[in-house]
Amino acid sequence: MWHEGCFWHNAGDGALYEPAGGYVENLGQAESPESKRRVKNLLERSGLIDGLNVIKPRPAALADLLRFHTREHIDNVRNLSRAGGGLCGDSAIVGRGSYEIALLSAGCAISAAEAVVLGAARNAYALTRPPGHHAQSGSGMGYCIFNNIAVAAMYAREVLGVGKILIVDWDAHHGNGTEDAFYGDDSVMFVSLHQDGLEPIGRGLVSHRGRGAGEGYTVNIPLPPGSGDAAYAYAFEQVVLPVARMFAPELVMVSAGQDANIFDPLARMMLSANAYRRMTGELMSLAGGRVVCIHEGGYCPAYVPFCTHAIIEQLSGITTDVQDPFIYAMAGTGYDKLWPHQRDAVDEARPRP
């Protein structure tokens, strides 16, 4: 699932995540269209796209957004978009026309979930932009305007009749908005692997486990900076897959943020493209293989396309001649070694009775 319109969202001028001005010279925000557009470019260059069913999404409807977002937030985004732009929350920039683009992004996630649940596709990848997992019910946050995965999960549950949904968020930043959406809900299990202490500060702690009926259905795995393929593999083996199998989801949804890659400017993790392939394959062992990946972060335009290409190869079962051209640079970094402090962090995240 993708739409050219998603690449036209203007996240503003600046550098990394700060607006231009003072001593910050304009370089363009890290959340630019390049890392996403280059995913599509690589899919076409490799020929993989020829084996895929490419579907143009419909925009999300107001009713879809209202399952999670407040009317005030939706109206604010629309008004800012028509007025030329502005902030709809912390580091969440609305550009001119961004309201309609954000509707497309949320609609892309909904369309992907619908295709899989109704049997039009075995699995799906939604190349969404702007991203969504930080967006809260009443405001945007961290480049996110509407919470694409939360909106799509609610659609899958309430319109398509899916009883149990597993959301795995492997973005390097904690998906606080998605966690909030389902924190008291036992029909949606939220599992997050993220860099400990990264934005949003104070979120994604092991002790954050849900409340009420949702107690135990939120599982946070904060990993030390520098965690790579081996640490994530251990986390999947010890935490992610055991709790997922116990939950027995009918649908798996992934907040697929590839910013835990070793070259990303906004995180300090060390995943290779192959790690994303492996994690995808392991999640495909759940829910009869009904997996919907929804793109989130990933700010290295050179490497994110290779990480995402590996995911889509795994989902489709199609192998191309694309190899990771940067893997040699990771030799000696320890990305493929499980260090004691990483093991301890995963062990601490194991759910307790």
Side-chain angles (χ1 to χ4, degrees):
M1 311 287 172
W2 72 277
H3 194 288
E4 173 67 24
C6 290
F7 302 147
W8 288 59
H9 166 60
N10 181 5
D13 295 329
L16 295 178
Y17 47 81
E18 285 294 314
Y23 291 114
V24 179
E25 184 178 0
N26 183 41
L27 183 64
Q29 288 280 350
E31 204 294 290
S32 77
E34 278 306 293
S35 59
K36 289 77 178 175
R37 180 175 276 126
R38 286 173 181 239
V39 170
K40 186 180 75 71
N41 292 348
L42 183 58
L43 290 171
E44 292 185 347
R45 177 73 171 134
S46 71
L48 178 55
I49 203 166
D50 297 332
L52 306 178
N53 181 18
V54 181
I55 300 174
K56 296 290 192 215
R58 66 179 185 278
L62 177 61
D64 298 326
L65 299 183
L66 285 171
R67 290 189 183 93
F68 176 57
H69 291 292
T70 64
R71 185 62 182 260
E72 291 75 17
H73 173 52
I74 298 167
D75 289 346
N76 184 43
V77 172
R78 185 184 63 246
N79 293 337
L80 287 170
S81 175
R82 292 176 178 175
L87 283 170
C88 69
D90 181 18
S91 301
I93 296 175
V94 176
R96 187 161 62 94
S98 287
Y99 174 69
E100 289 76 15
I101 296 172
L103 291 180
L104 272 175
S105 191
C108 196
I110 290 171
S111 297
E114 189 171 61
V116 171
V117 172
L118 297 183
R122 293 192 309 272
N123 50 55
Y125 194 97
L127 189 56
T128 46
R129 182 175 180 268
H133 73 152
H134 292 308
Q136 301 162 96
S137 61
S139 69
M141 182 180 180
Y143 302 137
C144 303
I145 296 176
F146 300 134
N147 196 312
N148 304 319
I149 198 165
V151 167
M154 290 179 178
Y155 182 91
R157 185 180 59 185
E158 297 172 28
V159 177
L160 303 177
V162 179
K164 297 169 74 176
I165 300 171
L166 169 68
I167 297 178
V168 176
D169 189 327
W170 64 45
D171 191 289
H173 305 82
H174 182 256
N176 57 295
T178 311
E179 181 180 275
D180 289 347
F182 303 107
Y183 204 60
D185 193 332
D186 62 358
S187 69
V188 177
M189 174 171 276
F190 176 73
V191 180
S192 177
L193 305 98
H194 49 273
Q195 181 180 319
D196 191 13
L198 199 58
E199 294 286 344
I201 295 171
R203 295 301 303 265
L205 305 182
V206 170
S207 58
H208 297 170
R209 302 184 65 249
R211 66 168 177 268
E215 176 74 26
Y217 291 87
T218 291
V219 180
N220 282 300
I221 312 171
L223 295 168
S227 295
D229 292 21
Y232 277 74
Y234 185 69
F236 262 69
E237 173 193 326
Q238 297 296 318
V239 183
V240 179
L241 293 177
V243 300
R245 288 170 182 148
M246 189 177 302
F247 180 61
E250 299 167 29
L251 178 68
V252 176
M253 304 185 76
V254 182
S255 275
Q258 277 68 269
D259 48 4
N261 78 76
I262 194 168
F263 300 108
D264 205 273
L266 296 191
R268 293 296 177 266
M269 303 303 256
M270 297 203 301
L271 286 184
S272 71
N274 192 57
Y276 289 103
R277 184 192 307 274
R278 178 191 50 75
M279 292 190 294
T280 302
E282 291 182 339
L283 293 179
M284 290 171 69
S285 69
L286 306 168
R290 298 202 300 178
V291 176
V292 176
C293 293
I294 298 172
H295 201 92
E296 295 282 2
Y299 308 101
C300 177
Y303 200 52
V304 166
F306 291 96
C307 298
T308 309
H309 194 277
I311 293 169
I312 297 174
E313 277 196 348
Q314 184 67 38
L315 288 172
S316 67
I318 300 171
T319 302
T320 71
D321 63 351
V322 173
Q323 301 293 320
D324 185 342
F326 302 104
I327 191 68
Y328 73 92
M330 298 173 67
T333 63
Y335 79 99
D336 53 353
K337 178 179 178 180
L338 179 64
W339 299 85
H341 68 293
Q342 297 166 353
R343 180 187 292 272
D344 291 345
V346 172
D347 290 346
E348 185 182 352
R350 287 176 178 161
R352 302 292 189 265

